[in-house]
Amino acid sequence: MKNDPEERAALQLIRRTIEEHCPPDVLPSEEMVNGLHGPTLMGEAEAISAAIVATVERLQLQTTVKPPAPNIKA
């Protein structure tokens, strides 16, 4: 995968969407991703994929039905 400007722009659009609509700590900054993976499209894609999975896992945890608290009155 070459570093095509249109592909980079597409990943930036997806990044901005995740930053706006997902929990703030699921996607590392671009600088952090570049430090971990290098400034490649695949590195950015891997970070975005992990952020999507982390968001889905959090949403699943939030929808887990909790049993009612026991009644403390005897």
Side-chain angles (χ1 to χ4, degrees), residues 21-56:
H21 298 284
C22 295
D25 58 343
V26 296
L27 182 61
S29 69
E30 281 188 80
E31 293 79 19
M32 183 178 273
V33 172
N34 290 342
L36 294 171
H37 302 285
T40 65
L41 296 176
M42 280 305 289
E44 182 70 2
E46 288 177 25
I48 288 170
S49 297
I52 292 169
V53 170
T55 300
V56 169

